[in-house]
Amino acid sequence: MRRTIAAATARPEADFPVQPERLRTEFAFELPRGYVDESGTVHRSGVMRLATARDELIPLRDDRVRENSAYLSVVLIARVLTRLGTIEDVHPGVVEDLFASDLAFLQDFYRRINAEGHTRAAVTCPACRENFAVDLAGGGRLGES
């Protein structure tokens, strides 16, 4: 007994126009205080890229992280920062010299773009108690208009 299998007819691509989806992989930011380099220049603007699985795995093999698990965020943030002001070679030494408030900002920024997929934060105005959202990747520094 012989079976015949009917082949599905493929429809031309014109019937299904496919728009390539663009994935945003880099996010600009402004640090609350800024990194001060050895010459005294303050660097506030920067770019962070989305993390890969490799970015999260490689720091776990770093001896500094093995000795002190808190160092994980320093190594991880250094891996995903592609620019900080005019500095394009952002390494753990640069991240170590950030003010604590700037490191906290970058840790939150990292979480937002990698886990939540956006850079918005819910805030409350201290004067009028109004709730609204701000985009942490927006143009100006927080608290300034």
Side-chain angles (χ1 to χ4, degrees):
M1 186 170 176
R2 190 169 179 202
R3 291 188 181 179
T4 306
I5 300 174
T9 346
R11 296 178 63 182
E13 287 181 20
D15 289 348
F16 297 98
V18 176
Q19 297 295 329
E21 185 178 325
R22 289 218 181 259
L23 176 64
R24 184 174 175 195
T25 60
E26 291 191 330
F27 298 83
F29 62 84
E30 292 281 328
L31 291 175
R33 296 194 188 279
Y35 168 72
V36 182
D37 67 18
E38 55 279 344
S39 69
T41 304
V42 179
H43 304 269
R44 284 194 178 94
S45 63
V47 177
M48 182 182 287
R49 66 172 173 78
L50 287 177
T52 63
R54 180 183 309 256
D55 291 322
E56 294 198 347
L57 293 170
I58 286 179
L60 299 175
R61 292 186 274 177
D62 190 302
D63 289 336
R64 297 166 295 189
V65 174
R66 288 182 179 177
E67 291 174 16
N68 180 358
S69 62
Y71 202 75
L72 173 62
S73 66
V74 170
V75 177
L76 185 54
I77 295 296
R79 288 186 63 83
V80 296
L81 287 182
T82 59
R83 184 179 57 77
L84 183 57
T86 58
I87 303 166
E88 292 186 7
D89 177 27
V90 182
H91 52 80
V94 170
V95 178
E96 286 175 355
D97 288 338
L98 289 171
F99 293 107
S101 59
D102 288 335
L103 179 58
F105 172 88
L106 290 172
Q107 289 168 328
D108 184 55
F109 196 73
Y110 176 92
R111 182 184 55 77
R112 287 180 187 284
I113 67 173
N114 287 287
E116 298 176 14
H118 61 80
T119 57
R120 293 179 309 279
V123 296
T124 303
C125 174
C128 69
R129 311 304 285 165
E130 181 75 24
N131 295 321
F132 58 97
V134 295
D135 189 345
L136 298 176
R141 292 179 55 208
L142 292 177
E144 295 180 353
S145 28

